[in-house]
Amino acid sequence: MSKKNKDRVNIVYSTNPDFSYDYDNQEEQETLEPSKQLLYVSLDRKQRGGKEVTLVEGFVGTDDDLKELGKMLKSKCGVGGTAKDGEIIVQGSFRDKVIELLEKEGYKTKRKGG
């Protein structure tokens, strides 16, 4: 099966000769410059076995840029984490340090939660 067939949306097969398939052509969003982005930084424990993580939400841009920002935050905090689905998760309670680092990079930040 070709790659083109895997991008079809909702219809697997049609016997109608005049039918045209809908294709999933999601284009990645272009990354906004840091000064135009508002990132929400919070601490989270849900679904993590009681472990605290620092969660950064609201990033607008490509997955590569999100992973690059996540990599920078994780290395500056000296911990692990992940960056996917528009969120950056940094292991541990580093909310204040993450806010400081993001503001140095030019991002606008808001503290979310207690």
Side-chain angles (χ1 to χ4, degrees):
M1 184 183 282
S2 71
K3 171 76 173 132
K4 192 173 186 180
N5 291 344
K6 290 182 181 182
D7 292 336
R8 291 182 186 166
V9 179
N10 298 329
I11 303 293
V12 176
Y13 181 77
S14 176
T15 57
N16 182 352
D18 298 325
F19 183 81
S20 68
Y21 292 101
D22 292 333
Y23 291 97
D24 186 19
N25 291 331
Q26 289 182 343
E27 295 179 19
E28 284 193 20
Q29 294 179 333
E30 290 197 22
T31 304
L32 291 177
E33 58 186 68
S35 61
K36 293 184 179 179
Q37 294 203 40
L38 177 61
L39 302 179
Y40 295 95
V41 183
S42 62
L43 294 177
D44 190 25
R45 283 189 182 173
K46 296 178 184 150
Q47 310 267 321
R48 305 186 201 289
K51 306 279 189 210
E52 218 168 47
V53 298
T54 304
L55 187 62
V56 180
E57 302 170 290
F59 184 82
V60 178
T62 62
D63 286 341
D64 291 338
D65 292 335
L66 177 71
K67 288 179 182 178
E68 192 67 34
L69 181 61
K71 185 177 180 180
M72 184 273 297
L73 291 175
K74 292 183 298 184
S75 67
K76 297 275 185 184
C77 293
V79 294
T82 185
K84 60 183 174 187
D85 302 328
E87 295 180 339
I88 299 170
I89 297 172
V90 179
Q91 294 174 352
S93 177
F94 292 99
R95 181 171 51 190
D96 295 331
K97 188 170 184 177
V98 166
I99 288 173
E100 182 183 314
L101 291 168
L102 288 172
E103 287 176 349
K104 274 187 189 174
E105 292 290 317
Y107 291 94
K108 292 181 212 161
T109 61
K110 275 199 173 174
R111 183 181 295 223
K112 192 173 163 186

